[in-house]
Each structure stands twice: as C-alpha cells, then as structure tokens.
Amino acid sequence: AGSTPLGSGSPGYLAMFQDAGTLVDSAVYQVGTSLGVNTRAPDATFHVVASASPGAYLDVYSDELGALPFVYRAARGTPLAPASVQAGDLLGGLAVRGFGGTTFSGGRGQRMFRAAENWTDEANGTFLQITTTPLGSAAWVERIRVDPAGNVGIGTPAPAHKLSVAGTVESTTGGFR
C-alpha cells in the first residue's frame, strides 16, 4: 500500500505534488464550473492571469491540415442537445479589451468568423469581419469583411467585387494597374 501524502490544501485550489510525497496548492483555482489560473476570481469558464508577456503559448508539432493551435466549435442548443448554427451566428474569433480606469471594456477590436447561412452537414458558408473602435468612442465599427465568395469589402459589409472600397482610395506608389 502507498503512503499518505503530507501537506494540506486550501479550499478551491487544485492540489499538486510539490515532490514525491507533499501536496500543496497549485496555481489553478476552481469556483463552481470556472477555472482560474493565477486568479481566485475567474470571469469565464477558463480565465488566465499573466503578469508577463507572453501570457500563454499554444504549440503544435504537426504538418497536417487542420492542426491549428486553437479551434473554435459553435452550436446552438446545449452540450447534450446541440442544434445547427444559423446565419449570422458567431463561430469564433478574437476580441481585445482594455482597462479604462474602473473596469475592463467589452471587445473594442475584433476578428469574428460568422455563419453566412443556416448550417447543415453539407452547407457551412462563413464570412470574416474585422472591427476597430474610433478614437473617443466605445462602440466598435466593422472595417473589413471577407464574404463567402472571397470578396473583400473595406468600409462596406456587402462587397460586390473581389475588392470593394467605400471611400477614397489613395496610392502613394504610382497608381493602379
């Protein structure tokens, strides 16, 4: 039979072995179904607090297509009864937020992948939105869209050509061909 580990833990912390026989608190803290790394107040299902850059690495050692370091999966419904994604649904993305003096903002610059149609097993159309927030504002604005046909819109959410620009285009290198 094995020996009983020495040490003790604190409520909420996941225990780890400091050595072969001593248990201590790890950097992971659980509140309900939320996990915090270096925080006892996770604001999401998984919340990491880092005081140095980079805050995280995602390493992938594979040359296979689809071996992306981070994959989003989206569905309506619940984990036990998922339902099909619908047109306009957010599929995944990246949002940046900053601290404004009293609280963190919502997403102010974003890259969002959305469903372009109601999904079936055979139809999975998508589009990409890129947003920024104007100076002195707290509301993001869509700046670039890549539609399901590969058309790129700058300043327009409905690009009609491979490149559609709503506004003035300037070239400082001699024009267009």
Side-chain angles (χ1 to χ4, degrees):
S3 61
T4 302
L6 301 174
S8 63
S10 302
Y13 282 97
L14 275 64
M16 68 175 224
F17 279 97
Q18 181 179 22
D19 54 41
T22 306
L23 284 173
V24 296
D25 293 341
S26 72
V28 181
Y29 191 83
Q30 185 168 355
V31 177
T33 58
S34 297
L35 292 178
V37 177
N38 295 322
T39 180
R40 292 186 340 164
D43 288 331
T45 302
F46 185 63
H47 182 168
V48 177
V49 173
S51 58
S53 181
Y57 285 109
L58 298 170
D59 291 346
V60 174
Y61 300 95
S62 175
D63 62 353
E64 291 183 35
L65 184 63
L68 300 172
F70 199 89
V71 175
Y72 296 93
R73 297 191 327 169
R76 288 188 173 206
T78 67
L80 295 177
S84 298
V85 169
Q86 300 297 298
D89 284 1
L90 182 64
L91 299 170
L94 173 70
V96 293
R97 300 172 176 202
F99 191 78
T102 59
T103 188
F104 281 95
S105 70
R108 295 300 182 253
Q110 301 172 107
R111 180 188 65 209
M112 297 178 284
F113 298 91
R114 294 188 177 271
E117 62 186 339
N118 294 342
W119 278 31
T120 68
D121 289 338
E122 295 79 29
N124 302 156
T126 61
F127 66 92
L128 167 66
Q129 294 174 291
I130 299 174
T131 71
T132 64
T133 301
L135 294 175
S137 176
W140 60 263
V141 176
E142 181 177 333
R143 304 299 187 172
I144 298 172
R145 179 176 293 208
V146 181
D147 75 9
N151 294 334
V152 177
I154 299 176
T156 177
H161 305 282
K162 285 299 170 195
L163 179 61
S164 296
V165 179
T168 304
V169 176
E170 177 183 1
S171 172
T172 59
T173 60
F176 295 96
R177 295 186 206 199

